[in-house]
Amino acid sequence: MLNMHAKNKMRGHQRVPSGSREFKELTKRDAQTQLAHELEGLLATTVDDETKRSVEQEFQGFKRLFERFLLDKDSTISWDRIQKLPENAVRDHSTLKEPASEQLHAMLNKLVVVKLNGGLGTSMGCHGPKSVIPVRSELTFLDLTVQQIEYLNKKYQVDVPLVLMNSFNTDADTQKIVRKYRGLQVKIYTFNQSCYPRINKESLMPIARNCDVENDIDAWYPPGHGDFYESFKNSGLLKKFLEEGREYVFISNIDNLGATVDLSIADLLLHTDEKSPEFVMEVTDKTRADVKGGTLIQYENKLRLLEIAQVPKEHVEDFKSVKTFKFFNTNNLWVKLSAIDRVLSENSMNIEIIVNNKSLDNGLNVIQLETAVGAAMKSFEGGIGINVPRRRFLPVKKTSDLLLVMSNLYSLQNGSLVMNPERMFLTTPLVKLGDNHFAKVKEFLARFANSPNIIELDHLTVSGDVTFGRGVVLKGTVIIIANHGDRIDIPAGAVLENKIVSGNLRILDH
């Protein structure tokens, strides 16, 4: 290349630098051509025809995603074009009516429940799918979900199927686990979301050298839950459920223990005099703990999800404002099956791309192109938000969330967590546990002799080497900070109300 360049210079044909737009277009076209070539090479490493067909189908989706990433449209929004939410954009859950009992049977048989089950429990120090972490009475997220659906099916004599969207990280383990539910009154289906190659940040080319994912797991990734729609259709399940006369799918994260089938929302969708909305997003009131959660906005005369990644830097504080944006997305979604089929057939699904930068253990910088399932809202007609009570949003992302769901704040009824009536407030306590000593489930469990009584707790902060004896009661605001090298043991039966404990405190049994 250098020689060519020198040759041109000598002849007096120095090339005029192309305009930056033209340069970008040329490099984008080159990247697309090069990517297609690389994917062909990967495809040639598949072991049999069936695998090849399946991988080829996924690569088509990846190429479309990559092309949209290069075009770089819709990733940020123009802040001054955000419109005020229209009057009826968000309905209040309390205004919805309970369905008549004679309608329930026909109504529930039109429903499919999908749980997003692609995540691992690594951030909480666990191996395997997050859905198999025990959360209450030795029952896992998956156990509780299956219990909920079985109870629904038995109570109303219906056949609501449970569908798990796995990733290549969780599929094998999940397949082994679901066998134990065979005798229960719930049909369980699984399908896998796509498996895409990670891209080298510098060259924009896949880092994978062959399609043997298990032996080169760092080279591949699941592209976020926005991949649901296409993978659901590719699995054949969308067609199957439409042929069965099913009408709506209720999608939620498997680690959200509040995301049960809501009969009032199902009634709104399946027994409405007006045209039923094709897409419903459950939102709830934003608190200071939720400032980074996606919110609903009206943009270009359509209701859509706005994530913090799309917000221009100078407006991030506006986005976090509880006054400006009152709601945030719980990721509990209700979508019309026939509308999913139509939007995919028309190729009109347009989901913003989330560019996730990662550094691998070998120091290589890669990017993952991901999408979010709720961002598809703008591709559907008549979308609405429903402002639901906080009890429908009980995610377990950290051990601080685990402390809440294991505690006496809740009782377990047919797989659902029900708030203790003795709790005076509708909100849950704000709990912050220090990462160094509490982040992993095993460490967290070792630090509590049993779950403390937190019925009257508002706020708990714990940092450092702290342990709790049996029967501890926490009320109001409690802050416990053990300085570096110190240890604090809260003795059995202690009652801490509006207390700050710091320094070094050890009470020895004798």
Side-chain angles (χ1 to χ4, degrees), residues 93 96 99 104 107-116 148-149 152 160-161 228-229 232 247-253 256 258-271 276-283 329-340 373-374 376-378 380-389 392:
H93 186 269
L96 305 183
L104 284 166
M107 184 176 89
L108 287 170
N109 275 330
K110 291 177 180 173
L111 191 64
V112 177
V113 172
V114 170
K115 293 286 177 180
L116 305 171
Q148 290 166 16
I149 305 296
L152 199 67
V160 176
F228 161 76
Y229 305 98
F232 188 50
E247 290 186 27
Y248 274 88
V249 60
F250 171 48
I251 308 164
S252 61
N253 296 342
N256 178 5
T260 56
V261 171
D262 186 284
L263 298 178
S264 301
I265 297 177
D267 180 71
L268 171 76
L269 301 177
L270 293 158
H271 287 121
S276 60
E278 290 184 350
F279 196 106
V280 168
M281 179 181 287
E282 292 186 36
V283 296
N329 170 30
T330 63
N331 219 36
N332 300 347
L333 308 167
W334 304 70
V335 192
K336 201 166 193 169
L337 290 168
S338 58
I340 295 175
V373 65
M377 185 178 208
K378 62 178 184 180
F380 292 86
E381 296 305 317
I384 61 164
I386 294 180
N387 186 14
V388 297
R392 291 193 56 75

Side-chain angles (χ1 to χ4, degrees), residues 279-321:
F279 196 106
V280 168
M281 179 181 287
E282 292 186 36
V283 296
T284 194
D285 291 341
K286 194 153 118 174
T287 67
R288 296 197 190 284
D290 316 308
V291 291
K292 290 183 180 176
T295 192
L296 269 184
I297 58 168
Q298 180 83 350
Y299 192 80
E300 294 173 345
N301 298 316
K302 276 212 129 167
L303 207 55
R304 66 188 262 182
L305 177 66
L306 174 65
E307 299 276 11
I308 195 163
Q310 296 163 260
V311 177
K313 282 191 175 68
E314 64 274 20
H315 290 289
V316 166
E317 288 311 309
D318 300 333
F319 174 82
K320 290 179 178 179
S321 159

Side-chain angles (χ1 to χ4, degrees), residues 137-206:
S137 314
E138 295 303 305
L139 296 170
T140 66
F141 291 105
L142 200 47
D143 291 336
L144 295 176
T145 299
V146 171
Q147 272 192 19
Q148 290 166 16
I149 305 296
E150 194 199 26
Y151 172 70
L152 199 67
N153 285 340
K154 279 183 169 173
K155 183 174 180 181
Y156 299 108
Q157 295 299 298
V158 290
D159 180 24
V160 176
L162 171 63
V163 180
L164 303 172
M165 181 170 89
N166 301 331
S167 67
F168 63 84
N169 288 316
T170 62
D171 186 54
D173 287 332
T174 302
Q175 296 300 348
K176 288 175 198 160
I177 292 155
V178 294
R179 288 179 200 144
K180 72 177 181 178
Y181 306 122
R182 274 182 187 157
L184 303 179
Q185 198 177 316
V186 55
K187 283 184 190 153
I188 301 175
Y189 300 89
T190 65
F191 71 98
N192 271 19
Q193 67 183 113
S194 300
C195 173
Y196 286 169
R198 280 178 166 153
I199 299 170
N200 182 313
K201 194 174 181 179
E202 298 308 315
S203 68
L204 291 185
M205 287 301 116

Side-chain angles (χ1 to χ4, degrees), residues 197-431:
R198 280 178 166 153
I199 299 170
N200 182 313
K201 194 174 181 179
E202 298 308 315
S203 68
L204 291 185
M205 287 301 116
I207 63 168
R209 298 276 63 93
N210 62 64
C211 283
D212 185 358
V213 176
E214 274 183 40
N215 286 321
D216 193 11
I217 208 138
D218 270 356
W220 301 86
Y221 75 99
H225 41 57
D227 181 62
F228 161 76
Y229 305 98
E230 217 161 291
S231 293
F232 188 50
K233 184 171 186 175
N234 290 346
S235 71
L237 286 171
L238 176 60
K239 184 171 186 273
K240 172 189 163 57
F241 291 135
L242 281 168
E243 285 171 355
E244 285 179 9
R246 311 263 178 195
E247 290 186 27
Y248 274 88
V249 60
F250 171 48
I251 308 164
S252 61
N253 296 342
I254 196 141
D255 64 3
N256 178 5
L257 293 171
T260 56
V261 171
D262 186 284
L263 298 178
S264 301
I265 297 177
D267 180 71
L268 171 76
L269 301 177
L270 293 158
H271 287 121
T272 181
D273 300 331
E274 315 139 45
K275 193 178 175 206
S276 60
E278 290 184 350
F279 196 106
V280 168
M281 179 181 287
E282 292 186 36
V283 296
T284 194
D285 291 341
K286 194 153 118 174
T287 67
R288 296 197 190 284
D290 316 308
V291 291
K292 290 183 180 176
T295 192
L296 269 184
I297 58 168
Q298 180 83 350
Y299 192 80
E300 294 173 345
N301 298 316
K302 276 212 129 167
L303 207 55
R304 66 188 262 182
L305 177 66
L306 174 65
E307 299 276 11
I308 195 163
Q310 296 163 260
V311 177
K313 282 191 175 68
E314 64 274 20
H315 290 289
V316 166
E317 288 311 309
D318 300 333
F319 174 82
K320 290 179 178 179
S321 159
V322 179
K323 282 181 186 161
T324 314
F325 298 106
K326 296 177 184 157
F327 311 115
F328 80 98
N329 170 30
T330 63
N331 219 36
N332 300 347
L333 308 167
W334 304 70
V335 192
K336 201 166 193 169
L337 290 168
S338 58
I340 295 175
D341 195 38
R342 185 196 75 238
V343 170
L344 289 175
S345 300
E346 292 172 351
N347 204 18
S348 59
M349 187 161 292
N350 180 14
I351 308 183
E352 288 83 13
I353 294 169
I354 300 157
V355 179
N356 192 349
N357 292 287
K358 296 243 176 200
S359 263
L360 302 184
D361 291 343
N362 62 6
L364 188 64
N365 290 327
V366 295
I367 55 176
Q368 298 180 179
L369 304 179
E370 301 175 11
T371 55
V373 65
M377 185 178 208
K378 62 178 184 180
S379 302
F380 292 86
E381 296 305 317
I384 61 164
I386 294 180
N387 186 14
V388 297
R390 189 73 185 202
R391 65 172 183 269
R392 291 193 56 75
F393 185 67
L394 290 175
V396 179
K397 304 290 181 196
K398 294 181 170 181
T399 52
S400 49
D401 303 318
L402 210 49
L403 179 69
L404 296 176
V405 300
M406 286 179 162
S407 75
N408 63 334
L409 263 189
Y410 299 100
S411 60
L412 199 56
Q413 291 176 19
N414 308 306
S416 298
L417 291 182
V418 179
M419 178 75 83
N420 190 325
E422 289 179 32
R423 173 83 176 164
M424 300 289 286
F425 323 101
L426 293 173
T427 54
T428 52
L430 187 61
V431 175

